[in-house]
Amino acid sequence: MDLGIKGKRAIVCASSKGLGRGVAEKLAEAGVDLTLNARTEATLRATANEIADKYGVKVQIVAEDVTTETGRNALLKAEPQPDILVNNAGGPPAGNWSEWGEEEWLKAINNNMLTPILLMNAILPGMIERRWGRVLNITSGSVKSPISSLGLSNAARNGLTGFVAGTSRQVAKHGVIINNILPGSHDTDRTKGFLERTAQAKGISIEAARAEAYAENPAGRYGTAEEFGAAAAFLCSQYSGFIVGQNLLLDGGAYNSTQG
Ligand code: NAP
């Protein structure tokens, strides 16, 4: 399917690996030129080269921490007029509600709520003027169904979700579409680390921990970055113009609900 976005330009935050890379690959496959971002320059450069070689699109990199003002300014300087913005960053650490003080809360709010909001604030006026834009925020299934140990994520990401709910409805008439995409468990480095810790805590092999985790999901597995990227690319496509302020959950059916 031609997504109708060949020649458009996208910023994809936190995209040298995992879900961000999955989105970058599928946008590149659709013919979108990319500005990729991550903190580690070597990995980012390798990803950018692989994507440029494979899909023949232009790819530039900004090796910065997107959760800092310096990082965001560098991204905006490299690509001041993106047609597509994909917001992403690492998630807050796990823990317990009783351990988190002001410092931890401010960091989570900055990284997973304020950072995407500030990037939207910077980029939306240009999209409105050009009468076309797509913004997709990678949040988490924890927005719909809380993960107790990820209270910082549950809360900060719901703040972003609230902002998107109202703002998406203000900008849609200008051809600017904002949605959120909610990953459940996907096979990435992040979940690999989680499975390693679970295996160690239970005294079992990583393969056994993986088999247990897969068995808990109705699909019998975790999702892939490729599947995630394809759904995300559709939400950034020409055909997503009537999908406004939605929260698309990709979790293999793990969230048990009759509707939505
Ligand atoms: P991942 O495999 O660990 O990849 C994270 C990517 O983001 C890397 O390219 C990393 O590169 C980059 N990154 C991290 N922090 C950054 C920062 N501050 N500035 C710029 N780049 C940054 O993680 P993932 O599994 O794709 O997860 C992506 C997001 O989805 C996270 O917020 C995660 O909490 C959320 N999520 C994931 C899952 C899942 O199952 N995978 C489920 C729910 C929610 P550098 O380290 O070099 O910066």
Side-chain angles (χ1 to χ4, degrees), residues 201-234:
K202 290 187 171 180
I204 57 176
S205 68
I206 295 174
E207 290 69 35
R210 184 181 295 280
E212 276 184 14
Y214 281 10
E216 281 172 17
N217 189 292
R221 62 179 177 90
Y222 279 1
T224 69
E226 187 186 18
E227 291 168 317
F228 187 86
F234 181 81

Side-chain angles (χ1 to χ4, degrees), residues 39-179:
R39 293 163 301 183
T40 314
E41 183 164 354
T43 326
L44 181 61
R45 193 172 294 285
T47 295
N49 289 341
E50 283 171 35
I51 291 179
D53 287 349
K54 188 167 175 191
Y55 301 104
V57 294
K58 288 185 212 130
V59 186
Q60 63 174 342
I61 61 168
V62 177
E64 292 280 354
D65 184 339
V66 72
T67 67
T68 65
E69 193 179 1
T70 311
R72 290 189 294 274
N73 286 343
L75 262 178
L76 294 168
K77 191 166 174 218
E79 178 48 280
Q81 295 197 324
D83 304 295
I84 297 166
L85 166 66
V86 179
N87 277 314
N88 186 29
N96 186 279
W97 63 268
S98 59
E99 299 160 5
W100 301 319
E102 188 174 359
E103 192 185 331
E104 289 78 13
W105 275 111
L106 288 177
K107 191 165 172 16
I109 289 166
N110 175 69
N111 293 6
N112 296 104
M113 176 182 164
L114 209 49
T115 287
I117 289 176
L118 291 174
L119 279 173
M120 280 187 259
N121 281 352
I123 285 168
L124 288 176
M127 288 181 167
I128 290 168
E129 207 177 300
R130 296 189 299 278
R131 312 228 25 107
W132 201 94
R134 298 287 184 266
V135 178
L136 189 63
N137 300 294
I138 299 179
T139 63
S140 170
S142 68
V143 163
K144 282 179 88 94
S145 176
I147 301 168
S148 300
S149 62
L150 293 178
L152 294 169
S153 171
N154 300 337
R157 294 188 198 276
N158 263 301
L160 170 63
T161 306
F163 174 80
V164 166
T167 308
S168 60
R169 289 167 169 87
Q170 291 177 287
V171 301
K173 60 177 171 291
H174 304 293
V176 178
I177 299 302
I178 314 177
N179 288 292

